[in-house]
Amino acid sequence: MTGILPLARIALALALVIFSPFSAGAQDAFKDFKQLDTTAKMPKLNAFIAPGTTPPGALLHEVPMEAKLTADGQPVEDGLSWYVFSPIAGADGKLPLIASAKGGSAAFQLAPGDYFVNVSFGRAGVTKKVNVPESGAVDKQVMVLDAGGLLLNAVSGSDVRIRPDQLSFSIYSSEVRDDGERGLVMADVSPNTVVRLNAGTYHVVSEYGDVNAVIRADIQIEAGKLTEATIQHRAAQITFKLVSDAGGEAIADTAWSILTAAGDSVGESVSAFPTMVLAEGEYSAVARNKDKIYQRDFKVEAGKNTDVEVLMKDVQPQEPDSAATTVQPEPQPSAAGEPPQKSAQAPLPSYDQLVPNSGSDGADAD
C-alpha cells in the first residue's frame, strides 16, 4: 500500500499546516468555508421551551449560556446548537427534551431543578449538568467545547491538484474497537470543507477515484486551531483505447478488464474511452472486442495522467477449439505368413466415452 506523509514523519508526504490559535481571523475561516451539519446564520435566540415541560405556577429563572472553543477563547457567535434535557428518563427510556436553541449564545427560561445541557458546534460537542436554584440569580454558564477545525485536500504525485469531484474523505476515531473496526465520525467529506471536531487524533481515509487509490493518515486536531492537511496520493488517471494503429480512433463496443501484476482484477468497463484512477504500480489492460481478446502491460506512475493504447495486433493466443485426440499405433505384422498381432493393451477411451453426453446439449463441461 502506498504511504502517507503526516507532518514531522520521515519519508511521508502528508503536508500538515496548523494555523495560529483560534482568533477572530480563525473564526472567520470557520464561517467562510462550506459548513457541515450547520444552519444559516442566526442571531442570539431565547430557547424554545417544549410545551408541558414547565410545572404550573413555577417561577422561571433566566439561565444565560455561551460556548467557547477554549477556556481562554472568545465566545462562539454562530453555528451552535443548544439542547436542554431533563435528567429523569421518560417512559421510552430517553431523556425528555426541555428546550433548544440555535445560533450563538442563548438564554433559557427554566424552572428550578437539575438539567443536562448539551451544546454542539459541527461534530464537536460537550454536555454539562446545570442546577437552577429556587431563588436568586443564575450565573452565566460557560461551556468549553475544546474543539478545533479540520480542512482536507489532496494532490497526486508531488503537486498535481486533484479535481474535488474525484476526492472523498472519511473521518474515523483513532481507537480500534474490539471487533477491529474504528468508529465512523463522518463519511463522504468533500475537500475544502471545514469540519468542526473535538480536539484529539482522528484517522482519515482519502479516496481518489473509485478503484484502488486509497490513502490513510492519522491527524491531530488541537483546540482553538484550524488544521489544514494535504494528503499525497501515489496514483494517476489513465484513459484506455483499443486502436488498430498507434494514435488511431478508439474502437467502440469494447469491454475492458484491468488486472494487477498478480492477476487480480481491479476495474472493469464497457466503453470506447474508459478512464480509471489507479494506484502506482504495474498492470495489464485486457480489451475484448467481438471474438478477439487483446492485451497490453503498462505501468502507472504517481501524478502522470496518461493514455494507454492497446493495438489490435496485440492479440492473445487463442486456445484450440477441439480437444487433442490420441492416435493408436497400427498393429505390426509378426513373422512371415502369420496374421498381424493385436496389441495386448486395450485402446484408450475417447473423450466422448470419458464425458458421457458431452456436447449433446451445448453446455460447457465446467
Side-chain angles (χ1 to χ4, degrees), residues 36-288:
L36 298 183
D37 295 338
T38 62
T39 60
K41 292 184 178 180
M42 299 177 64
K44 296 181 181 180
L45 299 176
N46 287 333
F48 162 76
I49 307 297
T53 57
T54 302
L59 179 62
L60 300 181
H61 297 267
E62 181 173 292
V63 184
M65 295 191 178
E66 67 181 22
K68 301 179 179 181
L69 294 180
T70 60
D72 56 353
Q74 296 298 315
V76 178
E77 297 180 358
D78 186 60
L80 297 174
S81 295
W82 296 90
Y83 301 96
V84 180
F85 297 91
S86 168
I88 302 174
D92 58 358
K94 299 180 181 180
L95 299 182
L97 178 64
I98 303 298
S100 64
K102 290 184 181 294
S105 300
F108 295 94
Q109 302 293 324
L110 301 175
D114 292 327
Y115 301 91
F116 285 122
V117 178
N118 174 271
V119 60
S120 61
F121 185 56
R123 293 285 171 164
V126 64
T127 300
K128 179 180 181 180
K129 186 174 183 179
V130 175
N131 175 264
V132 179
E134 292 286 347
S135 60
V138 181
D139 294 335
K140 178 186 292 185
Q141 303 297 307
V142 179
M143 310 280 280
V144 179
L145 290 159
D146 189 30
L150 175 63
L151 187 145
L152 295 166
N153 217 315
V155 295
S156 177
S158 59
D159 58 359
V160 178
R161 211 64 166 164
I162 300 173
R163 293 204 326 258
D165 61 338
Q166 294 180 307
L167 276 175
S168 178
F169 300 95
S170 295
I171 303 174
Y172 296 84
S173 63
S174 60
E175 297 80 14
V176 179
R177 301 190 301 241
D178 294 339
D179 59 2
E181 301 293 331
R182 301 176 187 267
L184 178 64
V185 176
M186 181 178 292
D188 297 326
V189 179
S190 299
N192 298 321
T193 300
V194 173
V195 182
R196 302 152 174 171
L197 299 166
N198 286 109
T201 301
Y202 295 86
H203 187 77
V204 175
V205 178
S206 175
E207 297 181 65
Y208 175 23
D210 55 5
V211 181
N212 64 348
V214 179
I215 298 295
R216 297 172 179 268
D218 289 332
I219 299 177
Q220 178 73 33
I221 305 301
E222 297 185 39
K225 296 182 180 180
L226 177 63
T227 300
E228 180 178 350
T230 299
I231 294 177
Q232 185 185 47
H233 275 275
R234 306 294 301 175
Q237 183 173 283
I238 310 297
T239 299
F240 301 94
K241 296 195 302 180
L242 177 64
V243 295
S244 56
D245 298 296
E249 293 292 330
I251 298 174
D253 300 325
T254 301
W256 294 88
S257 294
I258 310 304
L259 311 176
T260 64
D264 299 323
S265 177
V266 294
E268 295 184 347
S269 178
V270 179
S271 172
F273 297 95
T275 298
M276 300 181 189
V277 175
L278 299 174
E280 193 174 50
E282 296 182 353
Y283 299 86
S284 293
V286 179
R288 298 176 178 85

